[in-house]
Amino acid sequence: MSRFMNPRFAALRPYVPGEQPREMRYVKLNTNESPYPPAPAVLAAVSAAEVRRLNLYPDPDCRLLREKLAARYGVGPENVLVANGSDEVLNFAFMAFCDAESGVACPDISYGFYPVLAALYGVPLREVPLAEDFSLRPEDYFGLGCPVVFANPNAPTGRAIRPAQVERILQNDPDHVVLVDEAYVDFGAESCVPLVSKYDNLLVSMTFSKSRSMAGGRLGFAIGSAGLIGDLEKIRCSTNPYNINRLTMAAALATLDSDDYYMENCRRIAQTRDRTAEQLAKRGFSTLPSLTNFLFTACPEMSGEQLYQKLRARGVLVRYWNTPRLKDYIRVTIGSPEEMETFLAAVDASREER
Amino acid sequence: MSRFMNPRFAALRPYVPGEQPREMRYVKLNTNESPYPPAPAVLAAVSAAEVRRLNLYPDPDCRLLREKLAARYGVGPENVLVANGSDEVLNFAFMAFCDAESGVACPDISYGFYPVLAALYGVPLREVPLAEDFSLRPEDYFGLGCPVVFANPNAPTGRAIRPAQVERILQNDPDHVVLVDEAYVDFGAESCVPLVSKYDNLLVSMTFSKSRSMAGGRLGFAIGSAGLIGDLEKIRCSTNPYNINRLTMAAALATLDSDDYYMENCRRIAQTRDRTAEQLAKRGFSTLPSLTNFLFTACPEMSGEQLYQKLRARGVLVRYWNTPRLKDYIRVTIGSPEEMETFLAAVDASREER
């Protein structure tokens, strides 16, 4: 830290993303990307004509994109915010709705970015332990008197709760924002978006990075009451009003026109996931039930880190965490069926070697 | 504002960008975009192959891009931060180096985003008046005991000071960051980047939006001491570590490979600017000396707003500000020679009509 930095950031430990090897020689199952490319319409939309217009600013209101997202999700454009990835949604939401007095509650095991944002903005963090089986107990969040954020389905566990359960949380503290991070919702879970019209304290965050094959394009969005979205817009326009570039905007519009392609890919990924889970069960792994594009699974005789190392040596990247509750597990992104065969073969070879 | 918003944002008034008409029927001289398209290499770089890889995250370290920028500017990669437009550089810098105790000083007339960021982060703003002729007097910034930010060349005036003058500011308060916003430096002014190795409190911000025909691609960067850049990296990785998308990254790399094309465009724009200024002088306008891609000019018999309205009715968009010191002026982006002919003809017609 330089002598010029605000001392309140002295203890700040930035988020550490999963490794992004620059050489592509790994089977990359570590950052929950889609194994499938964008739809053909996206390739057509990022056209030479669009690149030629890069000298002009994008629409700072993202009007077309917000309208199209609104139509897709059955809400109004005033209920939609778009952002440079859903991390930016989270960033805006922490700024807008949390502070040193409010604090913020989140599961002890969830997306690692929440504690980073809490530390960045000096928001006291109330970590609520998940149950022994890594499920989220709605009643643990009743009447905490502070904003709440959780991923549903959760990461890295893969478990989800039903909207009716989220509704109980919303009802039990109507005076604080409940931010439901639905980054992984398209792989089989149920979205809370239909609750937005009923609860003005509900904010749902989503991303094109997982189910819509656009991790490289950076597009996230939030759906919520017009009041909450207006607040986030105010923050967006006070930090970076041109946050969505022209090429991402064009790609995102074409993505929404190809919704069937992406939802079909999600079904394929869910099938591959369930088959992979079966294969792991046959091998004695204990795997959490997943409604996402990854599996959280523990090998009977190796720690997550050990298995990670052995898989890496065989060209397969997965992710592990060295914390007490997670250390037995690895998180494996669901790739193509062929990639999962490679993964399983690498698992078998890693275990034989012992 | 919803009842959930942090009350400290109650008075926040977001930045208002220049209007971005969605129909392209205007001669658009209001947001300082380049009239020239990106280089052919950029069109080639945003290839179908690159779009097909959108399912994969971009490199969160932006290593190649930082190396290439470092080589271009004669610094090390540790001296370079890249961001989603230079607005994001400014946002990170306000977070990192300014707070309620420090305050921040900037000219009373400069980029309208500085006061917005100061309000957002609760940083008391010390507005330092420009001289009567809109020039910036370095001595006004000596020993203020707080961070300083100004655009050089300044906007919307177009006037610049020399690096030797900036150096005097740096020397006179070595314990506070001096942020020099060089968004417009490529049109004839001298950059302060060579001073970075000498002053650890100097941060220079730049953008691809003006001189590099990439307003629609959103790429800004900062050059400074490794200490300052490390601080900004810490903020970046705590808010949005994947802030640069793959397509912008590819376009930016190709842009740097075509540097001659862009620097030649800058010379053409400077020539068009100087010819336009001559034409305005012949018409009795008083125009500030400009080292940017715009002119700040006052019509002898009309306010800025009046002229703006008349030009708009004739299909030419410029910008004006309704504040006491600026109300006589319009700011006119330098377009192509043909666009400037259209602008001058619209000026003549607007005046004849009176």
Side-chain angles (χ1 to χ4, degrees):
Chain A
M1 203 173 95
S2 85
R3 64 200 175 95
F4 303 104
M5 180 80 144
N6 189 324
R8 77 185 175 90
F9 297 124
L12 191 62
R13 302 182 60 181
Y15 178 70
V16 180
E19 57 192 318
Q20 299 291 357
R22 277 178 292 262
E23 342 77 64
M24 280 305 298
R25 55 193 182 83
Y26 290 102
V27 175
K28 201 169 167 303
L29 305 177
N30 67 331
T31 52
N32 298 342
E33 292 145 329
S34 171
Y36 302 114
V42 174
L43 273 84
V46 185
S47 61
E50 197 55 40
V51 178
R52 224 171 265 123
R53 276 191 289 269
L54 276 182
N55 60 315
L56 302 174
Y57 280 98
D59 172 16
D61 296 328
C62 303
R63 194 179 57 97
L64 284 179
L65 184 52
R66 285 168 56 220
E67 285 173 0
K68 204 164 263 205
L69 279 166
R72 166 64 174 80
Y73 286 96
V75 296
E78 72 281 7
N79 300 117
V80 180
L81 170 102
V82 295
N84 183 27
S86 63
D87 286 346
E88 194 174 67
V89 171
L90 300 173
N91 183 35
F92 293 161
F94 268 75
M95 283 192 78
F97 307 124
C98 305
D99 63 19
E101 286 88 58
S102 75
V104 65
C106 71
D108 64 338
I109 295 165
S110 196
Y111 183 30
F113 213 67
Y114 310 144
V116 172
L117 286 167
L120 181 71
Y121 294 113
V123 179
L125 188 68
R126 296 167 66 170
E127 291 190 302
V128 181
L130 292 178
E132 194 61 40
D133 66 353
F134 296 106
S135 63
L136 186 148
R137 290 171 301 224
E139 57 273 23
D140 291 348
Y141 296 84
F142 290 176
L144 292 182
C146 70
V148 167
V149 55
F150 55 88
N152 190 45
N154 199 11
T157 65
R159 303 198 79 137
I161 59 172
R162 305 289 302 275
Q165 302 291 76
V166 175
E167 201 167 1
R168 294 169 63 212
I169 301 176
L170 289 161
Q171 288 166 340
N172 270 283
D173 197 349
D175 292 331
H176 291 93
V177 170
V178 176
L179 169 44
V180 183
D181 179 348
E182 295 191 351
Y184 297 104
V185 78
D186 292 326
F187 300 100
E190 245 183 292
S191 174
C192 289
V193 164
L195 298 177
V196 157
S197 58
K198 215 167 145 189
Y199 298 96
D200 68 348
N201 59 330
L202 170 61
L203 187 69
V204 178
S205 160
M206 295 195 189
T207 175
F208 278 38
S209 292
K210 316 295 179 184
S211 56
R212 288 184 169 110
S213 301
M214 221 170 88
R218 316 307 304 128
L219 194 86
F221 59 105
I223 297 182
S225 60
L228 294 189
I229 296 298
D231 295 342
L232 295 175
E233 271 294 320
K234 210 167 169 183
I235 301 288
R236 185 184 74 87
C237 293
S238 300
T239 52
N240 203 357
Y242 291 109
N243 59 334
I244 308 297
N245 73 86
R246 275 184 174 270
L247 302 178
T248 295
M249 196 105 74
L253 289 167
T255 295
L256 290 169
D257 288 337
S258 309
D259 207 48
D260 291 348
Y261 168 85
Y262 292 102
M263 295 307 118
E264 175 57 28
N265 281 349
C266 289
R267 279 187 290 272
R268 288 163 72 187
I269 290 166
Q271 276 177 8
T272 311
R273 173 193 69 210
D274 296 343
R275 280 198 214 110
T276 306
E278 280 165 32
Q279 288 296 319
L280 287 167
K282 279 189 197 162
R283 287 160 171 82
F285 278 61
S286 73
T287 305
L288 296 190
S290 170
L291 288 174
T292 64
N293 69 337
F294 57 81
L295 290 171
F296 199 57
T297 186
C299 175
E301 76 280 359
M302 268 187 276
S303 73
E305 180 172 7
Q306 282 172 315
L307 184 53
Y308 159 84
Q309 293 292 2
K310 286 176 186 292
L311 291 173
R312 193 178 208 286
R314 289 182 165 75
V316 177
L317 282 186
V318 298
R319 204 160 178 193
Y320 73 96
W321 284 264
N322 246 340
T323 60
R325 293 189 71 181
L326 305 183
K327 65 178 174 31
D328 292 339
Y329 291 80
I330 56 168
R331 190 195 68 185
V332 189
T333 303
I334 303 304
S336 65
E338 299 71 34
E339 286 175 318
M340 300 325 285
E341 289 302 320
T342 307
F343 159 72
L344 289 168
V347 163
D348 293 341
S350 298
R351 298 176 77 187
E352 274 159 27
E353 180 193 271
R354 277 171 53 98
Chain B
M1 203 173 94
S2 86
R3 64 199 174 94
F4 304 102
M5 180 82 144
N6 189 324
R8 76 185 176 90
F9 297 125
L12 191 62
R13 301 182 60 181
Y15 178 70
V16 180
E19 57 192 318
Q20 299 291 357
R22 276 178 293 262
E23 341 76 65
M24 280 306 297
R25 56 193 180 83
Y26 290 102
V27 176
K28 203 169 165 304
L29 305 177
N30 67 331
T31 50
N32 298 341
E33 290 146 330
S34 171
Y36 302 114
V42 174
L43 273 84
V46 185
S47 62
E50 196 56 39
V51 179
R52 224 171 266 124
R53 275 191 290 269
L54 276 182
N55 60 315
L56 303 174
Y57 279 98
D59 172 16
D61 297 328
C62 303
R63 194 181 56 99
L64 284 179
L65 184 52
R66 286 167 57 219
E67 284 174 1
K68 204 164 259 204
L69 279 165
R72 165 66 175 79
Y73 286 96
V75 297
E78 71 282 6
N79 300 117
V80 180
L81 170 101
V82 295
N84 182 25
S86 63
D87 287 345
E88 194 174 68
V89 171
L90 300 173
N91 183 35
F92 292 161
F94 268 75
M95 283 191 77
F97 307 125
C98 305
D99 63 20
E101 286 88 59
S102 75
V104 65
C106 71
D108 64 337
I109 295 164
S110 196
Y111 183 31
F113 213 68
Y114 310 145
V116 172
L117 286 168
L120 181 71
Y121 294 113
V123 179
L125 189 68
R126 296 168 66 171
E127 291 191 301
V128 181
L130 293 178
E132 193 61 40
D133 66 353
F134 296 105
S135 63
L136 186 149
R137 290 171 301 225
E139 56 274 23
D140 290 348
Y141 297 84
F142 289 177
L144 292 183
C146 71
V148 167
V149 55
F150 55 88
N152 191 45
N154 200 10
T157 66
R159 303 199 79 136
I161 58 172
R162 306 288 302 274
Q165 303 290 77
V166 176
E167 200 166 3
R168 293 170 63 214
I169 301 175
L170 289 161
Q171 288 166 339
N172 270 282
D173 197 348
D175 292 331
H176 291 93
V177 169
V178 176
L179 168 46
V180 184
D181 178 349
E182 295 191 351
Y184 297 103
V185 77
D186 292 325
F187 301 99
E190 244 182 293
S191 173
C192 288
V193 164
L195 299 177
V196 158
S197 58
K198 216 168 146 187
Y199 298 96
D200 68 349
N201 58 330
L202 170 61
L203 187 69
V204 178
S205 159
M206 295 194 189
T207 176
F208 278 37
S209 293
K210 315 295 179 186
S211 56
R212 288 184 169 110
S213 299
M214 223 171 86
R218 316 307 304 128
L219 194 87
F221 59 105
I223 297 182
S225 59
L228 294 188
I229 296 297
D231 294 343
L232 295 175
E233 272 292 319
K234 211 167 168 182
I235 301 288
R236 186 183 74 86
C237 293
S238 300
T239 53
N240 203 357
Y242 290 109
N243 60 335
I244 309 297
N245 72 86
R246 276 184 173 268
L247 303 177
T248 295
M249 196 105 74
L253 289 167
T255 296
L256 289 168
D257 288 336
S258 308
D259 208 48
D260 291 349
Y261 167 85
Y262 292 102
M263 295 306 120
E264 175 58 27
N265 281 350
C266 289
R267 280 186 291 273
R268 288 162 73 189
I269 289 166
Q271 276 177 9
T272 310
R273 173 192 69 210
D274 295 344
R275 281 199 212 110
T276 306
E278 280 166 31
Q279 288 297 319
L280 287 168
K282 279 190 194 159
R283 286 159 171 83
F285 277 62
S286 74
T287 305
L288 295 191
S290 170
L291 288 174
T292 63
N293 69 337
F294 57 82
L295 289 170
F296 200 56
T297 185
C299 175
E301 76 280 0
M302 268 186 276
S303 73
E305 181 172 5
Q306 282 173 316
L307 185 52
Y308 159 84
Q309 293 291 3
K310 286 176 185 294
L311 291 173
R312 193 178 208 287
R314 289 183 164 74
V316 177
L317 282 187
V318 299
R319 204 162 177 192
Y320 73 96
W321 284 263
N322 246 340
T323 60
R325 292 189 72 181
L326 305 183
K327 66 178 172 31
D328 293 338
Y329 291 80
I330 56 168
R331 190 196 68 185
V332 189
T333 303
I334 303 303
S336 66
E338 299 70 35
E339 287 175 317
M340 301 324 285
E341 289 302 320
T342 306
F343 160 72
L344 289 167
V347 163
D348 293 342
S350 299
R351 298 176 78 187
E352 275 159 24
E353 180 192 88
R354 278 170 52 96

